[in-house]
Amino acid sequence: MTVTRRGQGVRQRTSQYTYEMLCADIARQQLVPLLTTIHARSTAEFPALVTHAGEEFVFVLTGTVTVMTEHYAPLTLESGDSCYFDSTMGHALISAGEEAATVLWVCSRVVPPLTA
């Protein structure tokens, strides 16, 4: 068991997002929970849509978010809305409101099979 107190997660900043990794001190986690502030306002701010192994769940806490993907039309999510998608599909989250949006973003972590 692990606990992260408000504002005490491990922070990482990119030009598109500010991540606060929650409960990050357990080895070999299956889920990676992130409190994320979305700064990006356009897909032009990304070199390309992001793609990687796994699955993702996004729950909008504040603001308006546009989920951009390679296979679906842009999806607008408001506070209280959520979505779940396959991470191998190119994706990016954009803040669509006047202020940066905040989401709870949970990604699965691919763990190699254990060997005997």
Side-chain angles (χ1 to χ4, degrees):
M1 183 170 152
T2 183
V3 174
T4 301
R5 302 290 180 194
R6 182 184 302 180
Q8 299 299 307
V10 178
R11 291 184 184 266
Q12 180 178 354
R13 169 87 192 221
T14 68
S15 58
Q16 300 90 8
Y17 309 118
T18 299
Y19 300 104
E20 182 180 356
M21 292 181 270
L22 307 174
C23 300
D25 51 346
I26 290 183
R28 297 176 19 197
Q29 287 177 283
Q30 297 297 309
L31 300 174
V32 180
L34 305 161
L35 182 60
T36 306
T37 302
I38 301 170
H39 304 289
R41 301 294 181 156
S42 162
T43 54
E45 297 180 47
F46 296 84
L49 292 177
V50 178
T51 181
H52 52 86
E55 298 175 334
E56 302 187 33
F57 170 78
V58 175
F59 181 89
V60 180
L61 298 168
T62 65
T64 302
V65 174
T66 301
V67 181
M68 307 295 291
T69 65
E70 66 178 312
H71 298 304
Y72 297 95
L75 172 65
T76 300
L77 300 175
E78 302 286 343
S79 178
D81 293 342
S82 62
C83 71
Y84 188 103
F85 57 89
D86 182 329
S87 305
T88 62
M89 172 179 60
H91 58 278
L93 271 57
I94 307 296
S95 183
E98 291 185 24
E99 297 186 19
T102 304
V103 302
L104 175 61
W105 200 337
V106 181
C107 304
S108 64
R109 172 166 285 161
V110 177
V111 176
L114 298 175
T115 57

